[in-house]
Structure formats: C-alpha cells, structure tokens
Amino acid sequence: MDRFRKATPKRRKIIASVAKYNDHRNDLIIDFDNRCGYCNDIDVWRTVWFELDHFVPKKYLKTIKDTDYSNLVYACRSCNNSKRAHWPTGNEFIHNQNNEGFIDPCEDNYDDQFYRCPDGKIMYHTELGKWMYYKLKFHKPQHEIIYRIEQLDSLIEDCENLLSVIDSQILKDRMLILYREYRNYTKQLSSI
C-alpha cells in the first residue's frame, strides 16, 4: 500500500481579478504540478485536455465568484465530468456532511481518504473516501495505467543514467524489458 500522492497541491493566494476563470489556467497548472487535483494523474499521457473545475459547483455559488482562484481545481476531464454538480449539502460553505461530499484536494486530509495499491489502483480508507471514490469514478482503468506508465518512465530514466556511466549487458536487458512494458501500457491507454 502506497501513499495516494507524494505531495498535496497548494494554491497560491492569487486574488487578481480576471475576466473569466480560464484566465487562471497557467497558474493552476503550476500549483497542481501538471496533475489532476482529484486523481493525481499527470497531464502528460492523457489523450484529452485537462479542464478547470469549480470545487464548489457554480450552481451553488452565492458569495464565491466563479472566477475566484481559491475555488478552482486543475482536473482531468474524467474527474471533472464525474464530479459535475454533485454537491450533497447544497451549501457553498459545507463541503461534506455525514460522509457525503468532497474535501478540497488542496487540504492535507484529502490524502488520508485514499491509497495506492502496488498495481497502481486507487482505493479508499474512509467512508467519505468511498463516497468520493465512486462519485469521481476512481475505479476507471486509466488511473492505474497512467500511474504504471509514470513509474516505468522513472525507472527507465534511472537505468539510462546508470548506462551513461556503466556498460552492462544485464542493465541493457532490463532496459529492454522496461521499454516493452512501457509500450504495452501506452497502448492500453490509447485503447480506452
């Protein structure tokens, strides 16, 4: 069982007024480190673009402006479409209640709700995590595949660095195995 993600994204305190919420896109990409705030998938291998989600859905905004940076989440299309306007409390200031609703992914206790299996699957620790898991459809296979691709990419980079200083046939053979696995996962991702 691994940690769900290595770091909790943190939004900077950006209060600049913008004409439309999409004007915050570049700042959100930086603050979320090119990752979906909800599932932690990196945006490198996605076949569709990432979107900007209103953490409190626009439908329930009373005092929060739809351009407020503090209410925006850089999100993959899958999570954004799954979340939609689900907001059980109906109150912009109450994010969850009775194990239903959401935790802002920039809060540290968001990570306490989930963990990663060795094969990359996302699982839940808590009842609230279970509710979010199903609403965000974390059971979709792309989350596991993207996680595995990222792990392989890191291993390949480590091996390439070693090969630059060590001439080893064993290491070259291992690299070939990694490349084949990497290609297999990227093909799986393109077939989803």
Side-chain angles (χ1 to χ4, degrees), residues 53-61 71 83-87:
D53 173 60
H54 288 84
F55 176 65
V56 178
K58 289 197 285 187
K59 176 181 179 181
Y60 298 106
L61 297 180
N71 189 47
K83 182 175 170 277
R84 294 183 182 251
H86 293 293
W87 198 257

Side-chain angles (χ1 to χ4, degrees), residues 36-145:
C36 174
Y38 297 109
C39 68
N40 201 44
D41 285 357
I42 195 160
D43 60 8
V44 174
W45 291 287
R46 281 298 182 123
T47 54
V48 293
W49 62 92
F50 273 37
E51 301 174 337
L52 302 187
D53 173 60
H54 288 84
F55 176 65
V56 178
K58 289 197 285 187
K59 176 181 179 181
Y60 298 106
L61 297 180
K62 302 288 185 212
T63 61
I64 300 170
K65 294 179 186 168
D66 76 331
T67 56
D68 280 0
Y69 191 75
S70 61
N71 189 47
L72 297 174
V73 176
Y74 187 61
C76 70
R77 193 169 195 197
S78 174
C79 287
N80 194 24
N81 282 346
S82 299
K83 182 175 170 277
R84 294 183 182 251
H86 293 293
W87 198 257
T89 68
N91 182 319
E92 68 180 346
F93 296 112
I94 302 174
H95 301 167
N96 58 75
Q97 191 170 48
N98 301 323
N99 292 322
E100 291 187 353
F102 295 93
I103 295 174
D104 185 331
C106 291
E107 292 182 17
D108 291 331
N109 63 344
Y110 184 86
D111 295 339
D112 297 338
Q113 311 306 311
F114 309 104
Y115 65 93
R116 289 269 183 185
C117 296
D119 62 4
K121 288 181 185 160
I122 300 170
M123 293 304 298
Y124 49 84
H125 277 298
T126 67
E127 287 300 311
L128 180 57
K130 181 178 179 180
W131 191 91
M132 290 191 289
Y133 174 92
Y134 285 107
K135 284 298 176 198
L136 294 169
K137 299 181 181 174
F138 282 173
H139 50 79
K140 286 183 165 181
Q142 69 260 25
H143 302 302
E144 175 186 343
I145 293 169

Side-chain angles (χ1 to χ4, degrees), residues 129-173:
K130 181 178 179 180
W131 191 91
M132 290 191 289
Y133 174 92
Y134 285 107
K135 284 298 176 198
L136 294 169
K137 299 181 181 174
F138 282 173
H139 50 79
K140 286 183 165 181
Q142 69 260 25
H143 302 302
E144 175 186 343
I145 293 169
I146 289 172
Y147 180 82
R148 297 290 296 171
I149 290 172
E150 190 173 359
Q151 299 299 306
L152 286 170
D153 188 61
S154 178
L155 283 172
I156 288 170
E157 187 174 335
D158 289 346
C159 288
E160 285 178 338
N161 289 337
L162 280 173
L163 275 175
S164 69
V165 292
I166 302 170
D167 186 23
S168 163
Q169 188 58 46
I170 294 170
L171 189 55
K172 289 176 183 172
D173 292 343

